[in-house]
Amino acid sequence: MHRDAAISLVDLAREAGVSRQTLYLLFGSRAGLLLAMVEYHDAQAPVVPRLALARETMTAREAFEPYLRAWFEYLPQVFPVARALVAATSLGDSAAHAAWESRMQLLRGGFLQMTRALHEAGALRSGWTPATAADWLFSMSHVDTWQHLVVEARWKPKDAVDRLVATLRETLLVGG
């Protein structure tokens, strides 16, 4: 099977030995299949429990960097499906749009939870509200930012992550 993010349901059905109709019945659309793949990957990925563990067992300040690094470690694993969802969205696929938005809201929600805890602990720099800090975290750690730095500008992933995390730490946390 080729590893192209633009693979069609026809290609997938052929590879799986089922009809395209079977895939439509099971997933509703290519976007539905892509979302199911992401959800399955999330359920299997060891990084997802690490994100939860960081939020639940550390102070917000202690969890800040491990949480970001865990997300950046996970991002390359879901990158091909993310690009496929964005491509389908740009073609007017409302199911792909809904799938993409649901994933992005989960990510932003995790950042908002973190920034609220940082704010309550007095660790969020003045001038930032939990909502604006979550927006900033979201934009700086977005798939598009990672794609630009690592894929397009050809930064080493570790260098990109180190600089992004350091910049976010210095920008958002009291005492950097």
Side-chain angles (χ1 to χ4, degrees), residues 64-84:
F64 185 81
E65 187 167 329
Y67 189 90
L68 285 172
R69 288 187 181 280
W71 162 245
F72 281 122
E73 178 184 315
Y74 188 50
L75 204 156
Q77 298 171 32
V78 295
F79 181 74
V81 174
R83 292 297 90 192

Side-chain angles (χ1 to χ4, degrees), residues 8-175:
S8 71
L9 280 180
V10 172
D11 296 329
L12 288 168
R14 185 180 316 113
E15 188 69 26
V18 298
S19 71
R20 183 180 66 150
Q21 185 62 27
T22 298
L23 290 181
Y24 275 108
L25 288 172
L26 291 171
F27 301 104
S29 66
R30 183 170 179 271
L33 174 62
L34 292 169
L35 182 57
M37 289 170 55
V38 171
E39 289 171 348
Y40 176 80
H41 195 273
D42 284 353
Q44 304 301 313
V47 73
V48 174
R50 281 182 36 219
L51 290 169
L53 188 65
R55 277 195 319 262
E56 295 164 7
T57 64
M58 299 177 183
T59 67
R61 187 177 187 97
E62 291 169 340
F64 185 81
E65 187 167 329
Y67 189 90
L68 285 172
R69 288 187 181 280
W71 162 245
F72 281 122
E73 178 184 315
Y74 188 50
L75 204 156
Q77 298 171 32
V78 295
F79 181 74
V81 174
R83 292 297 90 192
L85 282 172
V86 169
T89 295
S90 70
L91 296 173
D93 186 331
S94 61
H97 178 75
W100 178 249
E101 285 300 311
S102 77
R103 304 317 292 174
M104 294 298 95
Q105 288 305 316
L106 281 173
L107 179 61
R108 188 183 180 284
F111 290 144
L112 184 57
Q113 184 179 358
M114 179 190 302
T115 57
R116 283 180 178 151
L118 287 166
H119 179 73
E120 289 169 12
L124 195 61
R125 281 191 185 270
S126 65
W128 291 98
T129 66
T132 59
D135 288 341
W136 190 248
L137 275 167
F138 178 77
S139 68
M140 296 302 293
S141 61
H142 195 276
V143 173
D144 293 342
T145 302
W146 187 88
Q147 177 181 336
H148 171 70
L149 293 173
V150 175
V151 176
E152 296 166 12
R154 300 179 188 249
W155 285 29
K156 292 178 183 170
K158 183 183 180 325
D159 292 343
V161 170
D162 288 347
R163 288 179 186 251
L164 286 166
V165 169
T167 300
L168 288 164
R169 185 179 55 242
E170 292 296 321
T171 304
L172 296 175
L173 300 183
V174 170

